[in-house]
Amino acid sequence: MNTISPVLTVHSKPLTIGDADWVRYALVALTLTIIGVFLILPLATVLIEAFAKGWGAYASSLTHPDTLAAIKLTLLTAAITVPLTTVFGVSAAWAIARFEFRGKSLLITLIDLPFSVSPVIAGLIYVLIFGAQGWFGPWFSEHNFKVIFAVPGIVLATLFVTFPFVARELIPLMQEIGHEEEEAALSLGASGWQTFFKITLPNIKWGLLYGVLLCNARAMGEFGAVSVVSGHIRGLTNTLPLHIEVSYNEYDFVGAFASASLLAGLAVVTLVVKTFLEWKQKQDLKASRKAADSH
Amino acid sequence: MSIVLKNISKRFGAFSALNNINLDIPDGDLVALLGPSGCGKTTLLRIIAGLEQADQGDVFLRGDNVTDKSVKNRHIGFVFQHYALFRHMTVFDNIAFGLRVKPHKDRPSEAVIRKLVHDLLNLVQLDWLHDRFPDQLSGGQRQRIALARALAVQPSVLLLDEPFGALDASVRKDLRLWLRHLHHELNVTTIFVTHDQEEAMEVASQIVVLNKGKIEQKGTPSEIYDSPSNDFVSHFIGQTNVFDLQKGDSVWLKSAGIVLDDAEGITAHVRPHHIGVEKLADSSASPIVLKDWQHLGATIRLELINEALNNPTKTIFAEMPSDQFKQLDLNKGDKVSLFIKHAHWFNLAKPEVPEAAADFYI
């Protein structure tokens, strides 16, 4: 039975109104050219340069102790900042989506601050506060604790630039989902933690993962803020992005591009996972909207 | 008394949502909180549940003052207007939730939980849906699952927020009857919120009429309908004709049988079925004209206008059994005389005087 009623013809593409074919093709071509020149070509260059002297040179520059130290430091920074940002993001989103309080819009604006402040300034702030000439610098040096030009400074600077990611992702999501399921769980006798882990978390998990992913990508790729506080000490305070810069400035192109290929790889993986998470989240929201509208 | 509310008040900013509410609800009652939207009925329900905190006043459940207890510790069952089923859990897990989150020492074994959940699913006649997810259910099914979930923890009080509000008219009819029967079976003290007076009359054994944060009247459906305590209740419950005696309605009302010495501020409310209609042989004697009529099944609704008034567009509604209407043999445009069998009148100038509301019988 393959009768298709003529009224139900499905158009594979939406019918455009007014735009001539050549406009469409010109716009598509322009977009593709821009993407090719500014995104694909540089990415290809990274790989070409990284393998310019063969697989051996690529591998040996990645296994160089300084590179390994940079990778380790980058992973460590991410391992500290991402969980902190996640906890902060969930609590901030919870507070903003669930409660009415004075200064709420100010808080939302403040959460966005790191997006609007140049990362270099973010780094500088920490130098001014914790540096040798800064407010707390003398106290820290007295107690033999280094913040600036050491790992704590790098973590602090990274925290500053990454802390909106999870909150920004969760606030609209939690506002959309609403409070009723949590109230239902509480009325059934669940404790606050039970409600959070059994009801809230499953509902926001895709959005949360999405925020964590973006946060992680930024934590590993951050250059400006970290550059100011790191001091560029080889093998000690160089993260991967800083290591790339140092190598490049020393004409170690293979080393620089080999490290860059790692970050580029991270970007591609992030992109793929991000697309998947976005799709998953949309599915979930669709289902929940369907569940909310009874007819 | 199962639920006692004392002097409950609640404000949202400058808006006073509830104003000094006092209410006693005996064990096993099925009570409707009825009122127009924005009257505070849902807020009151949420305060009883502990989902909202009153600014002032006390809530007692089964004799305990639970005012400062959280919703978790009040042992109530709450059914939300949009059901609030856990979207990532199956129907079975939804119903089992309240049992599974109990502290370890009170928690039944998984085998007992399974039996309880299936018993509840059988009670709401939906056992065959146990492995579905909420978004695979119809509105009526979700409502019944939400009810089963609330009943799983054996609440002493069941609270339902607009339980039929989001359902199709036909499903609503079935569920109303079903809820009434279920209440008979379980005998759990139940309060439900509704803005639909018909629903309240059909389901509840007691109705509490709320308006602007105050209780206007409390009573059985027939008390509320037959002796409304003020003009708001009379107007809100059922159909009624409103006659303002000060504004010229008094002359012809007099001819219809109502005589008042002092008509100042008096409004008479007359239900359509309390207006009798008689055909006149002499067509010039009455200013009342039959404009139109509708067949409502067993009854006929007549639209009448009074041509003697300055404003003859105001329609008076009367209702009578259809065979009686047939006997009268009326046509559109016929002059008729009216007689009022029963009226309520209210003195709007002195609404605080209880005697202002009175019955008038012929």
Side-chain angles (χ1 to χ4, degrees):
Chain A
M1 289 265 291
N2 271 328
T3 47
I4 296 166
S5 95
V7 242
L8 287 176
T9 316
V10 175
H11 294 279
S12 57
K13 56 180 180 189
L15 292 171
T16 50
I17 300 165
D19 285 343
D21 274 358
W22 72 266
V23 176
R24 246 187 296 155
Y25 290 127
L27 285 176
V28 171
L30 184 68
T31 314
L32 286 180
T33 311
I34 292 173
I35 289 177
V37 172
F38 291 100
L39 291 176
I40 310 286
L41 202 61
L43 205 62
T45 313
V46 168
L47 289 179
I48 290 166
E49 289 291 331
F51 288 103
K53 289 182 187 161
W55 173 257
Y58 177 80
S60 72
S61 71
L62 280 189
T63 50
H64 188 275
D66 287 351
T67 314
L68 287 179
I71 294 173
K72 235 158 93 188
L73 181 60
T74 303
L75 291 176
L76 175 73
T77 310
I80 297 172
T81 50
V82 171
L84 286 177
T85 313
T86 306
V87 170
F88 166 79
V90 172
S91 15
W94 185 285
I96 286 166
R98 296 291 179 259
F99 305 118
E100 288 306 320
F101 54 90
R102 216 180 268 267
K104 187 160 146 175
S105 47
L106 183 71
L107 180 64
I108 296 174
T109 316
L110 282 179
I111 287 174
D112 277 345
L113 191 69
F115 281 155
S116 50
V117 171
S118 156
V120 176
I121 295 173
L124 211 57
I125 294 168
Y126 288 108
V127 172
L128 289 176
I129 297 176
F130 297 111
Q133 322 295 326
W135 294 351
F136 302 115
W139 188 85
F140 276 113
S141 65
E142 244 172 61
H143 292 79
N144 224 356
F145 187 75
K146 266 183 87 107
V147 177
I148 300 305
F149 305 146
V151 177
I154 294 172
V155 170
L156 277 177
T158 310
L159 261 183
F160 183 89
V161 293
T162 55
F163 93 113
F165 280 93
V166 175
R168 263 283 146 218
E169 193 53 44
L170 289 186
I171 291 166
L173 179 65
M174 289 177 78
Q175 279 171 337
E176 156 107 26
I177 290 173
H179 195 24
E180 274 204 341
E181 283 181 50
E182 285 150 14
E183 287 186 334
L186 290 171
S187 79
L188 290 167
S191 68
W193 286 114
Q194 282 173 322
T195 304
F196 178 75
F197 284 110
K198 287 176 191 266
I199 307 301
T200 314
L201 207 53
N203 279 344
I204 61 169
K205 61 176 183 251
W206 298 119
L208 181 65
L209 280 177
Y210 181 78
V212 166
L213 182 80
L214 293 186
C215 172
N216 182 58
R218 183 69 191 266
M220 291 191 173
E222 175 56 26
F223 179 82
V226 171
S227 170
V228 178
V229 296
S230 116
H232 301 263
I233 306 163
R234 265 171 180 262
L236 276 181
T237 64
N238 263 356
T239 60
L240 211 45
L242 302 182
H243 181 69
I244 294 168
E245 194 210 15
V246 171
S247 306
Y248 188 83
N249 286 346
E250 290 172 355
Y251 306 106
D252 175 12
F253 294 130
V254 171
F257 282 105
S259 301
S261 73
L262 288 183
L263 285 180
L266 172 75
V268 172
V269 171
T270 304
L271 214 62
V272 172
V273 179
K274 175 178 158 262
T275 313
F276 171 75
L277 289 177
E278 273 174 336
W279 175 77
K280 251 337 228 183
Q281 196 186 335
K282 224 178 266 167
Q283 297 293 90
D284 270 21
L285 271 182
K286 224 187 273 168
S288 77
R289 279 202 200 104
K290 236 167 68 188
D293 310 334
S294 63
H295 37 232
Chain B
M1 286 295 156
S2 187
I3 303 170
V4 176
L5 304 178
K6 282 192 177 149
N7 303 320
I8 298 284
S9 292
K10 173 80 180 172
R11 304 183 71 84
F12 292 111
F15 173 71
S16 168
L18 292 170
N19 205 343
N20 222 7
I21 299 283
N22 285 289
L23 188 62
D24 293 352
I25 292 169
D27 259 331
D29 255 16
L30 176 53
V31 178
L33 287 181
L34 173 66
S37 58
C39 72
K41 53 193 191 300
T42 293
T43 307
L44 188 61
L45 193 78
R46 290 173 63 87
I47 285 174
I48 298 171
L51 293 169
E52 206 91 56
Q53 204 65 33
D55 297 337
Q56 183 192 316
D58 292 301
V59 181
F60 296 83
L61 296 179
R62 302 165 305 279
D64 297 335
N65 189 338
V66 296
T67 315
D68 296 323
K69 280 193 180 167
S70 70
V71 52
K72 170 180 178 334
N73 297 319
R74 289 196 186 186
H75 305 291
I76 50 102
F78 199 98
V79 178
F80 293 81
Q81 186 179 1
H82 297 290
Y83 327 121
L85 292 177
F86 307 132
R87 65 194 84 178
H88 61 283
M89 294 184 195
T90 62
V91 162
F92 183 95
D93 291 336
N94 261 281
I95 298 174
F97 183 86
L99 300 166
R100 286 179 176 155
V101 296
K102 278 180 192 274
H104 203 69
K105 57 179 171 44
D106 304 334
R107 195 183 309 157
S109 72
E110 219 25 56
V112 174
I113 289 179
R114 204 171 311 128
K115 183 175 181 317
L116 284 172
V117 171
H118 282 297
D119 286 351
L120 281 164
L121 276 167
N122 285 323
L123 180 73
V124 298
Q125 297 149 8
L126 291 176
D127 197 35
W128 53 289
L129 290 175
H130 66 96
D131 57 352
R132 303 279 181 93
F133 284 90
D135 63 321
Q136 297 168 308
L137 306 180
S138 74
Q141 289 168 342
R142 277 180 221 163
Q143 181 61 276
R144 286 192 272 167
I145 296 301
L147 199 61
R149 183 179 68 176
L151 289 171
V153 290
Q154 293 184 306
S156 57
V157 174
L158 191 58
L159 306 169
L160 304 106
D161 185 10
E162 296 267 6
F164 315 110
L167 297 172
D168 294 338
S170 63
V171 183
R172 204 182 295 190
K173 279 257 179 239
D174 292 345
L175 266 184
R176 281 181 195 170
L177 206 66
W178 177 79
L179 179 66
R180 216 186 144 86
H181 290 159
L182 188 74
H183 179 260
H184 266 295
E185 217 169 303
L186 301 171
N187 212 32
V188 182
T189 313
T190 304
I191 304 184
F192 71 98
V193 155
T194 180
H195 61 266
D196 181 344
Q197 46 102 8
E198 216 176 281
E199 189 170 291
M201 304 278 284
E202 196 177 321
V203 179
S205 58
Q206 290 278 323
I207 297 178
V208 177
V209 184
L210 279 165
N211 184 34
K212 292 182 181 160
K214 279 163 108 167
I215 293 180
E216 299 282 358
Q217 191 174 359
K218 182 190 173 223
T220 63
S222 54
E223 279 166 5
I224 301 260
Y225 187 85
D226 293 334
S227 31
S229 63
N230 56 40
D231 67 313
F232 173 81
V233 177
S234 162
H235 209 261
F236 193 69
I237 309 285
Q239 266 216 328
T240 193
N241 293 293
V242 178
F243 301 113
D244 189 338
L245 271 68
Q246 218 178 341
K247 289 188 190 144
D249 280 338
S250 66
V251 177
W252 79 268
L253 278 178
K254 222 174 261 176
S255 71
I258 293 185
V259 184
L260 271 179
D261 300 333
D262 180 13
E264 196 193 334
I266 301 284
T267 315
H269 287 205
V270 185
R271 303 265 188 224
H273 62 267
H274 286 143
I275 296 183
V277 178
E278 270 172 359
K279 199 175 182 177
L280 284 178
D282 175 10
S283 64
S284 60
S286 172
I288 311 287
V289 176
L290 176 65
K291 190 176 143 209
D292 201 358
W293 52 273
Q294 291 112 34
H295 209 291
L296 303 180
T299 56
I300 302 288
R301 182 166 63 199
L302 290 79
E303 289 180 26
L304 306 152
I305 50 170
N306 183 350
E307 287 186 329
L309 287 183
N310 322 340
N311 179 17
T313 50
K314 184 180 157 183
T315 309
I316 302 162
F317 291 101
E319 278 176 21
M320 64 174 70
S322 66
D323 37 350
Q324 191 187 336
F325 181 72
K326 243 173 235 159
Q327 279 172 8
L328 280 176
D329 190 27
L330 286 168
N331 289 310
K332 281 184 198 175
D334 280 357
K335 300 232 167 178
V336 293
S337 79
L338 300 183
F339 62 96
I340 292 173
K341 292 180 265 186
H342 185 185
H344 295 108
W345 63 66
F346 305 101
N347 189 340
L348 298 185
K350 302 178 209 152
E352 69 281 2
V353 182
E355 297 93 303
D359 283 358
F360 183 91
Y361 286 93
I362 292 184

